[in-house]
């Protein structure tokens, strides 16, 4: 038998709320951003720009996280892409530009502008 104490019930309620939010009327960009924020909860920056007027045809995702330190750029992109595939969102996206940076890279990019 499984213990269904308050923590388990809370977890179930949170998951149901998340499912309802993810399947609701939110845009594809909003759903992608929510998933990436779950994947990188300690990200310094996590934002998305929809360059397709809300249909999700062309998204630009920026994620800045310490977890990218020492990780090759291609592996960062694959981590994000695989997570979105697991969540069933990747097939809905027509074009996804990913900017997955370490905090130092992000500061340099901001300084270059």
């Amino acid at each position: 038998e499984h213990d269904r104490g308050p923590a388990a019930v809370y977890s179930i309620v949170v998951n149901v709320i998340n499912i309802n939010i993810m399947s609701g009327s939110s845009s594809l960009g909003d759903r992608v951003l929510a998933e990436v924020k779950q994947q990188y909860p300690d990200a310094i920056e996590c934002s998305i720009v929809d360059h397709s007027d809300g249909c999700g045809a062309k998204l630009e995702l920026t994620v800045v996280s310490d977890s990218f330190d020492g990780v090759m750029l291609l592996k960062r992109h694959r981590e994000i892409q695989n997570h979105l595939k697991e969540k069933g969102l990747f097939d809905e996206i027509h074009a996804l530009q990913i900017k997955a940076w370490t905090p130092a890279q992000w500061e340099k990019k901001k300084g270059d502008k």
Side-chain angles (χ1 to χ4, degrees):
E1 293 187 41
H2 298 288
D3 178 20
R4 302 241 183 223
V9 171
Y10 173 78
S11 177
I12 291 167
V13 169
V14 168
N15 287 334
V16 168
I17 290 170
N18 285 341
I19 289 167
N20 287 338
I21 289 170
M22 297 302 280
S23 63
S25 62
S26 59
S27 71
L28 178 58
D30 291 340
R31 292 182 287 146
V32 167
L33 184 61
E35 281 302 333
V36 175
K37 283 183 175 182
Q38 278 191 324
Q39 185 180 10
Y40 299 99
D42 298 328
I44 295 165
E45 171 73 15
C46 193
S47 60
I48 198 154
V49 177
D50 188 337
H51 293 288
S52 58
D53 300 322
C55 75
K58 186 175 179 187
L59 300 173
E60 179 183 320
L61 175 68
T62 302
V63 184
V64 180
S65 174
D66 286 323
S67 66
F68 294 140
D69 282 327
V71 178
M72 300 277 296
L73 184 61
L74 184 59
K75 186 166 190 233
R76 299 174 195 177
H77 287 206
R78 284 187 178 152
E79 279 179 10
I80 294 168
Q81 290 169 347
N82 288 338
H83 181 76
L84 295 175
K85 284 177 187 173
E86 287 172 13
K87 299 300 179 179
L89 293 171
F90 198 73
D91 290 341
E92 295 182 50
I93 302 168
H94 299 283
L96 177 63
Q97 179 183 9
I98 300 173
K99 297 176 181 178
W101 297 327
T102 65
Q105 290 170 324
W106 189 48
E107 288 300 321
K108 186 176 184 326
K109 300 279 183 190
K110 289 192 320 184
D112 289 346
K113 289 185 177 180

